[in-house]
Amino acid sequence: KERALAREIIDLIRGLFGVEAYEEWTPERPNNLKVRADNETLARVFKAMVPGDLYVKRVPGVFFRSDDEVRLALLLGWMHGDGYADMKSGKKRCARIQGVSASLTLARNMVALALSCGLRASCSRRKPRGRSRSAYDVYLSGPKALQLFPVLAGQVASAGVRVSSTDTNRTRFDYARAV
């Protein structure tokens, strides 16, 4: 999944900017796949569009003035890179759509984007683990959010659960057993 996403990003960089990019794995962080493009001009463009480091990221204002399709595409792109959608097994079956960021501002911006598109969304702080800092989880819930993830929607349907129409901003989807 991640390698396919990296390949897509590499193709986009080549197509949009005419710059070659490549995958990079860091031995000390084996779960961290990066896409790099060694081009100073492109680096300046991204630095101007997304200033700061991972702790102070934010969504550029232009996206808040964009139409629903663009806002949803940004939200989904972020979720594909820093989130997941899956079925939680166990006694209480539920679907979970969650993204994570080290930046509180970015997490709040993603919640605002989701809410502006009519999705249910919430944000919570995750306590630091080991040497890491706090992280911020963004949760999407409700029928409209589930529609954004067709594979997960199929899992929900085949598991015999339905989305509660009274679902509010909870930290995860809560599904009632279908009768």
Side-chain angles (χ1 to χ4, degrees):
K1 171 187 161 186
E2 299 212 351
R3 294 203 76 166
L5 184 59
R7 191 82 241 146
E8 185 179 345
I9 292 168
I10 289 168
D11 291 343
L12 282 169
I13 290 172
R14 184 182 304 116
L16 293 171
F17 303 106
V19 173
E20 289 302 316
Y22 56 93
E23 293 178 13
E24 181 179 274
W25 293 92
T26 309
E28 56 273 1
R29 298 193 71 177
N31 294 330
N32 191 345
L33 172 63
K34 295 179 184 179
V35 172
R36 292 191 61 102
D38 297 326
N39 184 284
E40 189 175 336
T41 304
L42 186 59
R44 287 182 184 178
V45 168
F46 277 101
K47 183 88 172 159
M49 291 179 67
V50 187
D53 62 19
L54 73 145
Y55 301 107
V56 295
K57 286 182 186 175
R58 64 176 175 75
V59 174
V62 66
F63 287 102
F64 291 102
R65 296 183 296 276
S66 299
D67 59 27
D68 282 0
E69 185 179 346
V70 170
R71 291 192 314 267
L72 283 171
L74 176 63
L75 186 63
L76 282 173
W78 175 70
M79 290 292 288
H80 282 298
D82 289 334
Y84 66 92
D86 68 359
M87 280 293 292
K88 183 178 180 188
S89 59
K91 196 173 185 178
K92 190 174 181 181
R93 304 280 312 211
C94 63
R96 207 172 15 195
I97 300 174
Q98 177 181 346
V100 66
S101 177
S103 167
L104 175 59
T105 302
L106 181 63
R108 287 179 174 168
N109 286 170
M110 289 301 175
V111 168
L113 280 175
L115 292 171
S116 74
C117 293
L119 302 173
R120 294 182 182 131
S122 63
C123 179
S124 65
R125 180 178 171 264
R126 184 189 300 176
K127 292 181 181 178
R129 297 180 199 165
R131 297 181 314 202
S132 68
R133 293 188 189 181
S134 294
Y136 302 92
D137 293 311
V138 173
Y139 300 95
L140 304 180
S141 63
K144 193 170 180 181
L146 189 60
Q147 290 172 358
L148 298 174
F149 297 88
V151 171
L152 181 60
Q155 291 173 348
V156 168
S158 67
V161 293
R162 66 176 171 80
V163 179
S164 170
S165 60
T166 59
D167 190 21
T168 56
N169 287 343
R170 298 186 181 134
T171 56
R172 80 173 79 128
F173 279 88
D174 219 1
Y175 292 93
R177 258 303 198 193
V179 181

